[in-house]
């Protein structure tokens, strides 16, 4: 029933068409179907539109002719055309109108839905003279009495072209003033950021053909400067390379196309910037300052920062020893990381020897200007030096701990035990030196020795472990000094 | 056969319900429950150029939502609706995409101020329209399909690259629902079509006018 009504409406429309309108030639380009991927085509809808236009009395270009046209001009993107392709279609296909369309949505579930946009382009002036969009779903088409309700996509299809052509204009003006715009096939202006003295390359390719006597002249205008472009062997290709020695600033470039008949067209090609200022880089090191130098053991925080923010294209950080030999380097594209941790190791994980090192960071901006900042650091690997003495005061054992190094102590711990039984006598801890540890001498100690184990760690992480076999020996005069078992030195954390 | 029987009964019951509903609606004509969820929020940051505006270019939209191709769907629909509702000369989508390729502006990349000026020059446009799909989705709740969409569109002055008008629009398909399922907008495309029309209407009401219009 619906189709009968539609055909009757079309017949009525045909009766109203003037002879001039009946002669209009239209190309229905393959309907793009983005629900089937970037290059999806919906032939079902394309053919439906063609049939509808034929029924309206329009002269419709065949599908094969259009496919041949698309292949010849290497047009892959459907659903839209650029002005140049519209001109070509007018010339090659002799069409007044082009119908472009896109299936925006096609979903069978949960609610069958279909959405299409269509537009009609007049080839004379490249203008869209009609367009419409229709979105249908089963919900939209439900009826009160549920008669002839569509329940699937296939049921929705026939409704679509009818709905979308419902606003088709009754008075299409298929001809208009001819357009002759210059078609830019490609433009090139590189680089965008330079420093004084660098070269700029600019090219324009016009997609037109002309008789030798009608050959245009192309000039590039950079501010007030006029630079004549050179036409290369390839027709329509104009280019020029020039050295920019001007001051810092922004340089817009336009191409002026001068035709022998006096016609002039100006096209903005782009802008380049001259920047001679190197990035102002500041390097901050987070570590312990000893003798005015940042000192660390295995963890150094390096924070690069630009005093004046600007985009960066590249960075490099190097670590060199006191004789200037680069021992480690790292680089990357874009801005450097906000923070870098250095463990005081080379690429293979070996710790750098104790000493002074120069950290240098270099960064480059978009114009290739280099900014640099260096800082000296000291790798300090020495274990904390602690002097341990002991004395007996009023039946109390008093142990004095004295730090002899320069790096402050982070913490210390002294564990005193009876040598024979390992019974704990005292466990003392602290975070500063000098200090002393006191404990009453056990009445039942007898001839047993007191073993002391001392752990000291400085704020850089260097650690000393000291084992004293007989603390009481330290209380006796030096002449009675006995052999003591002392172990000290580096102990790696990991 | 036996499996189709319950289905037929259901359909018959459905139709009976709708017939009763039709009677009820006839009796209570005029008492619709349409709720307008609010139109587009138009911010006129700067006045439109005083000279006649003839040519406009709509740049590809950006997609911030999780809905694949939401940007393309809304862009296509907006282009169609803008061409339908206004008398502006709208740059061909093909020309816009070609200019993007020439300037090496990649999909989902926002053009810089300079690129906007060049685009406008190449396309001969006095105004540029940009858009972002902030949120998009289709859900089925309680057996009823529904859609939602959040859009932000800008009108940009081609000469300066400055945003003149900013429009935020948020809609839910159920906001168009009248009685039962009637009016409900189930798909993103359907909702986009409605919302684009509302945005364009708000712009026209706000004073956007084509030359000679």
């Amino acid at each position: 029933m619906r189709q009968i009504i539609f055909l009757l409406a079309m017949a009525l429309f045909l009766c109203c068409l003037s002879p001039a309108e009946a002669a209009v030639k239209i190309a229905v380009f393959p309907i793009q179907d983005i629900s089937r991927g970037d290059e999806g085509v919906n032939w079902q809808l394309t053919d439906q539109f063609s049939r509808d236009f034929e029924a309206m009395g329009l002269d419709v270009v065949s599908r094969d002719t259009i496919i041949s046209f698309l292949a010849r001009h290497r047009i892959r993107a459907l659903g839209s055309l650029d002005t140049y392709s519209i001109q070509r279609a007018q010339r090659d296909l002799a069409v007044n109108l082009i119908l472009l369309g896109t299936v925006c949505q096609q979903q069978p579930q949960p609610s069958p839905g279909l959405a299409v946009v269509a537009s009609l382009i007049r080839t004379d002036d490249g203008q869209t003279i009609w367009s419409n969009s229709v979105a249908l779903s089963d919900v939209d088409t439900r009826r009160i009495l549920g008669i002839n309700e569509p329940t699937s996509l296939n049921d929705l299809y026939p409704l679509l072209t009818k709905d979308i052509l419902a606003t088709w204009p009754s008075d299409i003006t298929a001809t208009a003033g001819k357009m002759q715009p210059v078609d830019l096939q490609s433009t090139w202006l590189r680089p965008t950021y330079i420093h004084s003295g660098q070269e700029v390359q600019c090219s324009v390719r016009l997609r037109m053909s002309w008789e030798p006597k009608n050959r245009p002249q192309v000039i590039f205008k950079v501010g007030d400067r006029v630079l004549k472009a050179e036409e290369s062997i390839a027709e329509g290709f104009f280019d020029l390379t020039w050295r920019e020695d001007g001051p810092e600033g922004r340089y817009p470039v336009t191409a002026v196309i001068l035709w022998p008949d006096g016609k002039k067209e100006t096209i903005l090609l782009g802008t380049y910037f001259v920047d001679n200022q190197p990035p102002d880089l500041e390097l901050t090191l987070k570590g312990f300052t000893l003798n005015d130098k940042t000192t660390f053991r295995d963890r150094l925080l390096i924070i690069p920062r630009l005093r004046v923010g600007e985009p960066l294209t590249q960075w490099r950080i190097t670590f060199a020893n006191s004789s200037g030999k680069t021992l480690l380097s790292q680089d990357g594209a874009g801005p450097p990381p906000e923070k870098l941790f250095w463990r005081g190791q080379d690429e293979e994980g070996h710790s750098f020897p104790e000493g002074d090192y120069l950290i240098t960071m270099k960064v480059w901006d978009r114009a290739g200007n280099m900014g640099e900042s260096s800082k000296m650091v000291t790798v300090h690997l020495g274990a904390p030096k602690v002097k341990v003495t002991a004395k007996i005061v009023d039946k109390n054992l008093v142990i004095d701990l004295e730090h002899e190094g320069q790096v402050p102590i982070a913490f210390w711990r002294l564990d005193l035990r009876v040598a024979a039984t390992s019974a704990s006598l005292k466990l003392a801890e602290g975070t500063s030196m000098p200090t002393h540890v006191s404990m009453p001498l056990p009445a039942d100690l007898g001839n047993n020795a007191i073993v002391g184990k001392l752990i000291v760690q400085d704020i850089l992480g260097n650690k000393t472990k000291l084992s004293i076999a007989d603390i009481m020996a330290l209380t006796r005069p030096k002449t009675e000094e006995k052999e003591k078992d002392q172990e000290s030195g580096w102990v790696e954390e990991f | 056969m036996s499996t189709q029987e319950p289905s037929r009964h259901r359909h018959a019951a459905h139709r009976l319900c709708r017939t009763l509903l039709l009677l009820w609606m006839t009796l209570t004509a005029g008492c619709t429950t349409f709720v307008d969820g609010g139109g587009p929020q138009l911010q006129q940051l700067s006045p439109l150029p005083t000279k006649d505006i003839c040519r406009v270019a709509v740049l590809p939209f950006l997609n911030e939502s999780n809905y694949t191709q939401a940007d393309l769907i809304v862009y296509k629909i907006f282009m169609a609706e803008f061409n339908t509702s206004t008398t502006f000369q709208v740059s061909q989508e093909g020309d816009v995409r070609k200019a993007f390729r020439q300037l090496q502006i990649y999909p989902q990349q926002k053009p810089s101020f300079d690129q906007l000026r060049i685009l406008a020059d190449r396309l001969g446009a006095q105004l540029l329209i940009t858009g972002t799909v902030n949120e998009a989705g289709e859900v089925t709740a309680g057996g009823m399909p529904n859609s939602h969409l959040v859009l932000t569109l800008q009108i940009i002055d081609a000469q300066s690259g400055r945003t003149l008008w900013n429009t935020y629009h948020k809609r839910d398909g159920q906001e168009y629902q009248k009685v039962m399922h009637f009016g409900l907008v189930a798909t993103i495309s359907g909702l986009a079509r409605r919302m684009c029309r509302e945005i364009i209407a708000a712009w026209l009401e706000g004073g956007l006018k084509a030359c000679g219009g």
Side-chain angles (χ1 to χ4, degrees):
Chain A
M1 184 63 184
R2 182 192 303 281
Q3 285 173 344
I4 291 167
I5 293 168
F6 180 61
L7 287 173
L8 282 172
M10 282 296 166
L12 191 65
F13 177 77
L14 272 174
C15 294
C16 300
L17 273 179
S18 65
E21 285 167 325
V24 168
K25 193 172 182 183
I26 187 169
V28 181
F29 273 58
I31 302 296
Q32 181 190 27
D33 192 341
I34 61 174
S35 69
R36 297 178 185 179
D38 290 340
E39 293 176 16
V41 184
N42 194 312
W43 290 114
Q44 188 180 349
L45 203 55
T46 309
D47 293 342
Q48 182 64 50
F49 272 122
S50 294
R51 283 194 296 273
D52 289 345
F53 289 135
E54 278 170 356
M56 288 161 70
L58 299 177
D59 184 3
V60 181
V61 179
S62 72
R63 186 209 269 201
D64 291 344
T65 309
I66 290 172
I67 291 172
S68 166
F69 170 81
L70 292 172
R72 195 164 57 250
H73 294 286
R74 295 176 185 174
I75 298 170
R76 294 180 67 187
L78 302 173
S80 65
L81 283 177
D82 61 39
T83 305
Y84 176 76
S85 303
I86 294 168
Q87 283 178 318
R88 282 289 170 104
Q90 185 188 35
R91 199 187 67 185
D92 293 8
L93 306 174
V95 290
N96 309 98
L97 303 170
I98 295 172
L99 184 95
L100 296 174
T102 300
V103 177
C104 296
Q105 203 175 5
Q106 183 172 213
Q107 60 181 40
Q109 290 174 346
S111 172
L114 201 53
V116 174
V117 297
S119 58
L120 186 67
I121 297 167
R122 184 167 53 204
T123 56
D124 264 0
D125 58 358
Q127 287 300 306
T128 302
I129 55 172
W130 168 87
S131 67
N132 197 9
S133 68
V134 168
L136 280 178
S137 75
D138 66 331
V139 176
D140 302 322
T141 54
R142 278 183 201 165
R143 286 161 179 78
I144 290 285
L145 300 177
I147 301 165
N148 289 334
E149 269 186 358
T151 54
S152 70
L153 275 180
N154 285 334
D155 295 339
L156 289 176
Y157 256 101
L159 304 176
L160 254 177
T161 52
K162 178 180 157 291
D163 277 12
I164 208 154
L165 294 176
T167 61
W168 186 262
S170 57
D171 55 343
I172 288 175
T173 309
T175 54
K178 296 274 182 187
M179 57 170 174
Q180 285 297 333
V182 172
D183 187 72
L184 283 179
Q185 187 175 357
S186 64
T187 62
W188 179 266
L189 179 66
R190 289 287 184 277
T192 307
Y193 296 90
I194 58 165
H195 52 78
S196 290
Q198 265 189 299
E199 285 190 335
V200 178
Q201 190 190 1
C202 185
S203 67
V204 168
R205 186 162 200 172
L206 306 178
R207 191 156 52 175
M208 298 184 81
S209 57
W210 45 73
E211 296 292 318
K213 63 175 182 175
N214 292 330
R215 187 181 301 278
Q217 192 185 16
V218 175
I219 57 172
F220 296 133
K221 286 185 78 176
V222 185
D224 296 333
R225 281 178 292 165
V226 175
L227 309 166
K228 188 174 179 299
E230 295 158 4
E231 186 175 6
S232 77
I233 300 166
E235 192 182 54
F237 191 83
F238 300 86
D239 73 335
L240 190 66
T241 301
W242 66 91
R243 181 186 154 103
E244 185 54 75
D245 290 314
E248 286 193 321
R250 184 172 174 273
Y251 292 76
V253 181
T254 52
V256 182
I257 302 161
L258 304 164
W259 299 91
D261 63 1
K263 202 172 74 174
K264 188 172 96 172
E265 288 175 82
T266 305
I267 301 158
L268 180 61
L269 295 179
T271 304
Y272 66 88
F273 299 83
V274 175
D275 174 11
N276 295 327
Q277 295 299 319
D280 190 3
L281 180 70
E282 182 186 37
L283 213 55
T284 305
L285 306 178
K286 295 285 184 188
F288 173 67
T289 304
L290 186 65
N291 299 329
D292 297 329
K293 277 189 288 191
T294 304
T295 305
F296 77 107
R297 174 180 170 264
D298 62 354
R299 202 165 292 188
L300 179 68
L301 181 61
I302 305 165
I303 303 172
R305 190 180 71 89
L306 288 183
R307 290 189 182 94
V308 180
E310 68 171 311
L312 298 174
T313 58
Q314 199 184 339
W315 61 274
R316 177 182 296 160
I317 189 165
T318 56
F319 302 82
N321 62 15
S322 51
S323 57
K325 185 184 175 189
T326 300
L327 304 173
L328 177 67
S329 73
Q330 195 174 347
D331 50 37
E338 286 181 13
K339 293 174 184 174
L340 294 107
F341 277 105
W342 184 37
R343 297 185 179 279
Q345 297 172 339
D346 62 16
E347 283 172 349
E348 292 169 356
H350 301 129
S351 292
F352 275 30
E354 191 165 289
D356 291 341
Y357 296 91
L358 185 68
I359 299 177
T360 305
M361 177 166 266
K362 293 177 181 175
V363 291
W364 287 266
D365 65 16
R366 292 172 295 184
N369 298 302
M370 187 191 75
E372 183 176 352
S373 180
S374 296
K375 280 282 171 74
M376 190 68 95
V377 290
T378 301
V379 174
H380 184 91
L381 302 176
K385 289 179 182 171
V386 181
K387 185 182 172 187
V388 183
T389 55
K391 57 195 174 195
I392 295 171
V393 179
D394 297 335
K395 295 185 179 175
N396 286 322
L397 175 63
V398 179
I399 301 167
D400 291 312
L401 303 174
E402 193 178 341
H403 178 221
E404 295 181 318
Q406 287 182 302
V407 182
I409 294 298
F411 73 88
W412 60 266
R413 188 171 70 219
L414 179 63
D415 186 8
L416 299 173
R417 291 173 185 272
V418 178
T421 60
S422 293
S424 180
L425 295 173
K426 176 93 178 177
L427 180 66
E429 291 177 330
T431 56
S432 64
M433 286 189 186
T435 187
H436 68 269
V437 177
S438 174
M439 60 167 271
L441 273 174
D444 57 348
L445 185 62
N447 292 327
N448 282 324
I450 296 176
V451 178
K453 285 190 177 175
L454 177 66
I455 297 172
V456 183
Q457 186 170 311
D458 65 21
I459 59 168
L460 301 180
N462 295 307
K463 201 182 279 185
T464 292
K465 285 185 178 177
L466 203 60
S467 181
I468 304 162
D470 186 3
I471 290 278
M472 296 303 289
L474 300 176
T475 62
R476 293 171 200 132
K478 284 189 178 176
T479 50
E480 294 177 22
E481 191 175 311
K482 289 187 176 175
E483 185 186 339
K484 64 182 178 184
D485 176 23
Q486 180 170 321
E487 179 203 331
S488 68
W490 267 103
V491 178
E492 292 292 338
E493 257 189 300
F494 303 104
Chain B
M1 285 296 282
S2 59
T3 53
Q4 288 178 357
E5 281 304 309
S7 174
R8 281 185 187 174
H9 287 309
R10 269 204 305 275
H11 276 292
H14 227 106
R15 284 180 191 178
L16 180 65
C17 286
R18 285 191 210 168
T19 310
L20 292 172
L21 178 75
L22 179 65
L23 285 171
W24 175 77
M25 282 176 69
T26 311
L27 291 171
T28 59
C31 302
T32 54
T33 56
F34 176 74
V35 178
D36 188 348
Q41 295 171 27
L42 173 62
Q43 286 177 289
Q44 295 175 314
L45 306 169
S46 294
L48 295 171
T50 48
K51 62 180 179 183
D52 280 353
I53 305 160
C54 296
R55 199 168 175 86
V56 171
V58 185
L59 307 187
F61 288 1
L62 305 179
N63 189 8
E64 289 180 355
S65 76
N66 295 324
Y67 195 99
T68 313
Q69 293 186 320
D71 50 332
L72 197 53
I73 294 170
V74 180
Y75 176 73
K76 291 274 186 186
I77 290 170
F78 181 85
M79 283 280 275
E81 292 300 327
F82 195 74
N83 267 312
T84 304
S85 310
T86 70
T87 54
F88 286 106
Q89 292 175 20
V90 182
S91 295
Q92 289 296 336
E93 182 190 338
D95 287 329
V96 175
R97 295 200 182 276
K98 187 166 79 171
F100 265 59
R101 281 196 302 275
Q102 287 176 351
L103 294 176
Q104 295 182 318
I105 305 169
Y106 299 104
Q108 298 302 314
Q109 185 186 339
K110 210 172 181 175
S112 66
F113 279 108
D114 262 316
Q115 287 170 330
L116 286 173
R117 289 180 60 242
I118 296 166
L119 283 168
D121 183 78
R122 297 257 169 104
L123 300 168
Q126 292 143 295
L127 291 180
L128 299 173
I129 295 172
T130 60
T132 305
V133 180
N134 306 104
E135 286 177 34
E138 288 172 350
V139 290
T140 303
M144 291 296 278
N146 191 20
S147 56
H148 79 276
L149 199 54
V150 182
L151 305 177
T152 314
L153 271 72
Q154 290 88 24
I155 296 179
I156 294 170
D157 179 36
Q159 278 200 323
S160 62
R162 204 172 53 176
T163 302
L164 303 176
W165 289 7
N166 186 55
T167 311
Y168 175 85
H169 198 16
K170 181 179 181 179
R171 281 287 196 190
D172 194 291
Q174 284 179 344
E175 289 171 24
Y176 299 95
Q177 193 172 0
K178 292 172 184 171
V179 177
M180 283 182 71
H181 61 271
F182 295 103
L184 177 74
V185 185
T187 61
I188 284 292
S189 311
L191 193 55
R193 189 164 167 259
R194 295 247 190 168
M195 289 172 68
C196 289
R197 284 181 177 182
E198 288 170 351
I199 290 171
I200 294 163
W203 287 356
L204 295 176
E205 200 177 313
L208 181 69
K209 195 171 73 174
C211 59

PDB file of all heavy atoms in Angstrom, chain A residues 47-60:
ATOM      1  N   ASP A  47      21.358   1.980  -5.697  1.00  0.00           N
ATOM      2  CA  ASP A  47      20.476   1.566  -6.790  1.00  0.00           C
ATOM      3  C   ASP A  47      19.045   2.046  -6.562  1.00  0.00           C
ATOM      4  O   ASP A  47      18.342   2.406  -7.510  1.00  0.00           O
ATOM      5  CB  ASP A  47      20.514   0.037  -6.924  1.00  0.00           C
ATOM      6  CG  ASP A  47      21.891  -0.436  -7.381  1.00  0.00           C
ATOM      7  OD1 ASP A  47      22.658   0.395  -7.912  1.00  0.00           O
ATOM      8  OD2 ASP A  47      22.209  -1.627  -7.198  1.00  0.00           O
ATOM      9  N   GLN A  48      18.647   2.071  -5.305  1.00  0.00           N
ATOM     10  CA  GLN A  48      17.294   2.537  -4.987  1.00  0.00           C
ATOM     11  C   GLN A  48      17.133   4.006  -5.375  1.00  0.00           C
ATOM     12  O   GLN A  48      16.140   4.408  -5.977  1.00  0.00           O
ATOM     13  CB  GLN A  48      17.024   2.337  -3.487  1.00  0.00           C
ATOM     14  CG  GLN A  48      15.626   2.736  -3.032  1.00  0.00           C
ATOM     15  CD  GLN A  48      14.554   1.871  -3.666  1.00  0.00           C
ATOM     16  OE1 GLN A  48      14.635   0.647  -3.652  1.00  0.00           O
ATOM     17  NE2 GLN A  48      13.545   2.506  -4.272  1.00  0.00           N
ATOM     18  N   PHE A  49      18.150   4.810  -5.034  1.00  0.00           N
ATOM     19  CA  PHE A  49      18.120   6.235  -5.418  1.00  0.00           C
ATOM     20  C   PHE A  49      18.071   6.367  -6.940  1.00  0.00           C
ATOM     21  O   PHE A  49      17.305   7.167  -7.479  1.00  0.00           O
ATOM     22  CB  PHE A  49      19.361   6.959  -4.883  1.00  0.00           C
ATOM     23  CG  PHE A  49      19.186   7.503  -3.490  1.00  0.00           C
ATOM     24  CD1 PHE A  49      20.036   7.124  -2.464  1.00  0.00           C
ATOM     25  CD2 PHE A  49      18.179   8.418  -3.195  1.00  0.00           C
ATOM     26  CE1 PHE A  49      19.891   7.616  -1.184  1.00  0.00           C
ATOM     27  CE2 PHE A  49      18.024   8.921  -1.911  1.00  0.00           C
ATOM     28  CZ  PHE A  49      18.876   8.511  -0.907  1.00  0.00           C
ATOM     29  N   SER A  50      18.899   5.581  -7.648  1.00  0.00           N
ATOM     30  CA  SER A  50      18.928   5.656  -9.111  1.00  0.00           C
ATOM     31  C   SER A  50      17.548   5.355  -9.690  1.00  0.00           C
ATOM     32  O   SER A  50      17.064   6.062 -10.579  1.00  0.00           O
ATOM     33  CB  SER A  50      19.961   4.668  -9.662  1.00  0.00           C
ATOM     34  OG  SER A  50      21.239   5.058  -9.268  1.00  0.00           O
ATOM     35  N   ARG A  51      16.933   4.317  -9.162  1.00  0.00           N
ATOM     36  CA  ARG A  51      15.604   3.953  -9.665  1.00  0.00           C
ATOM     37  C   ARG A  51      14.585   5.067  -9.399  1.00  0.00           C
ATOM     38  O   ARG A  51      13.767   5.393 -10.250  1.00  0.00           O
ATOM     39  CB  ARG A  51      15.140   2.647  -9.001  1.00  0.00           C
ATOM     40  CG  ARG A  51      15.795   1.396  -9.576  1.00  0.00           C
ATOM     41  CD  ARG A  51      15.052   0.142  -9.139  1.00  0.00           C
ATOM     42  NE  ARG A  51      15.116  -0.058  -7.704  1.00  0.00           N
ATOM     43  CZ  ARG A  51      16.110  -0.703  -7.073  1.00  0.00           C
ATOM     44  NH1 ARG A  51      17.100  -1.209  -7.783  1.00  0.00           N
ATOM     45  NH2 ARG A  51      16.111  -0.847  -5.771  1.00  0.00           N
ATOM     46  N   ASP A  52      14.689   5.662  -8.202  1.00  0.00           N
ATOM     47  CA  ASP A  52      13.751   6.736  -7.858  1.00  0.00           C
ATOM     48  C   ASP A  52      13.918   7.931  -8.794  1.00  0.00           C
ATOM     49  O   ASP A  52      12.946   8.542  -9.218  1.00  0.00           O
ATOM     50  CB  ASP A  52      13.978   7.181  -6.407  1.00  0.00           C
ATOM     51  CG  ASP A  52      13.508   6.134  -5.416  1.00  0.00           C
ATOM     52  OD1 ASP A  52      12.765   5.227  -5.835  1.00  0.00           O
ATOM     53  OD2 ASP A  52      13.900   6.208  -4.236  1.00  0.00           O
ATOM     54  N   PHE A  53      15.185   8.259  -9.105  1.00  0.00           N
ATOM     55  CA  PHE A  53      15.426   9.416  -9.977  1.00  0.00           C
ATOM     56  C   PHE A  53      14.962   9.121 -11.402  1.00  0.00           C
ATOM     57  O   PHE A  53      14.447  10.002 -12.086  1.00  0.00           O
ATOM     58  CB  PHE A  53      16.897   9.816  -9.955  1.00  0.00           C
ATOM     59  CG  PHE A  53      17.317  10.433  -8.644  1.00  0.00           C
ATOM     60  CD1 PHE A  53      18.498  10.056  -8.021  1.00  0.00           C
ATOM     61  CD2 PHE A  53      16.535  11.391  -8.028  1.00  0.00           C
ATOM     62  CE1 PHE A  53      18.876  10.608  -6.817  1.00  0.00           C
ATOM     63  CE2 PHE A  53      16.906  11.952  -6.819  1.00  0.00           C
ATOM     64  CZ  PHE A  53      18.077  11.549  -6.204  1.00  0.00           C
ATOM     65  N   GLU A  54      15.161   7.889 -11.813  1.00  0.00           N
ATOM     66  CA  GLU A  54      14.670   7.511 -13.154  1.00  0.00           C
ATOM     67  C   GLU A  54      13.152   7.640 -13.194  1.00  0.00           C
ATOM     68  O   GLU A  54      12.584   8.123 -14.176  1.00  0.00           O
ATOM     69  CB  GLU A  54      15.098   6.081 -13.485  1.00  0.00           C
ATOM     70  CG  GLU A  54      16.523   6.017 -14.007  1.00  0.00           C
ATOM     71  CD  GLU A  54      17.055   4.605 -14.115  1.00  0.00           C
ATOM     72  OE1 GLU A  54      16.349   3.654 -13.711  1.00  0.00           O
ATOM     73  OE2 GLU A  54      18.177   4.458 -14.607  1.00  0.00           O
ATOM     74  N   ALA A  55      12.533   7.212 -12.095  1.00  0.00           N
ATOM     75  CA  ALA A  55      11.075   7.328 -12.023  1.00  0.00           C
ATOM     76  C   ALA A  55      10.624   8.785 -12.043  1.00  0.00           C
ATOM     77  O   ALA A  55       9.516   9.103 -12.462  1.00  0.00           O
ATOM     78  CB  ALA A  55      10.573   6.651 -10.754  1.00  0.00           C
ATOM     79  N   MET A  56      11.531   9.672 -11.580  1.00  0.00           N
ATOM     80  CA  MET A  56      11.215  11.107 -11.575  1.00  0.00           C
ATOM     81  C   MET A  56      11.505  11.742 -12.934  1.00  0.00           C
ATOM     82  O   MET A  56      11.312  12.936 -13.117  1.00  0.00           O
ATOM     83  CB  MET A  56      12.034  11.813 -10.490  1.00  0.00           C
ATOM     84  CG  MET A  56      11.558  11.487  -9.089  1.00  0.00           C
ATOM     85  SD  MET A  56      12.818  11.856  -7.836  1.00  0.00           S
ATOM     86  CE  MET A  56      12.830  13.617  -7.868  1.00  0.00           C
ATOM     87  N   GLY A  57      12.040  10.957 -13.856  1.00  0.00           N
ATOM     88  CA  GLY A  57      12.295  11.466 -15.203  1.00  0.00           C
ATOM     89  C   GLY A  57      13.670  12.059 -15.389  1.00  0.00           C
ATOM     90  O   GLY A  57      13.948  12.696 -16.413  1.00  0.00           O
ATOM     91  N   LEU A  58      14.548  11.897 -14.408  1.00  0.00           N
ATOM     92  CA  LEU A  58      15.911  12.419 -14.539  1.00  0.00           C
ATOM     93  C   LEU A  58      16.743  11.429 -15.343  1.00  0.00           C
ATOM     94  O   LEU A  58      16.501  10.224 -15.314  1.00  0.00           O
ATOM     95  CB  LEU A  58      16.537  12.630 -13.158  1.00  0.00           C
ATOM     96  CG  LEU A  58      15.835  13.624 -12.240  1.00  0.00           C
ATOM     97  CD1 LEU A  58      16.527  13.671 -10.888  1.00  0.00           C
ATOM     98  CD2 LEU A  58      15.820  15.018 -12.838  1.00  0.00           C
ATOM     99  N   ASP A  59      17.738  11.977 -16.033  1.00  0.00           N
ATOM    100  CA  ASP A  59      18.648  11.144 -16.810  1.00  0.00           C
ATOM    101  C   ASP A  59      19.761  10.700 -15.857  1.00  0.00           C
ATOM    102  O   ASP A  59      20.578  11.514 -15.427  1.00  0.00           O
ATOM    103  CB  ASP A  59      19.213  11.994 -17.963  1.00  0.00           C
ATOM    104  CG  ASP A  59      20.097  11.175 -18.882  1.00  0.00           C
ATOM    105  OD1 ASP A  59      20.216   9.959 -18.653  1.00  0.00           O
ATOM    106  OD2 ASP A  59      20.664  11.771 -19.808  1.00  0.00           O
ATOM    107  N   VAL A  60      19.776   9.454 -15.509  1.00  0.00           N
ATOM    108  CA  VAL A  60      20.695   8.946 -14.482  1.00  0.00           C
ATOM    109  C   VAL A  60      21.893   8.255 -15.136  1.00  0.00           C
ATOM    110  O   VAL A  60      21.725   7.379 -15.987  1.00  0.00           O
ATOM    111  CB  VAL A  60      19.976   7.967 -13.522  1.00  0.00           C
ATOM    112  CG1 VAL A  60      20.938   7.475 -12.447  1.00  0.00           C
ATOM    113  CG2 VAL A  60      18.774   8.638 -12.886  1.00  0.00           C
TER     114      VAL A  60
END
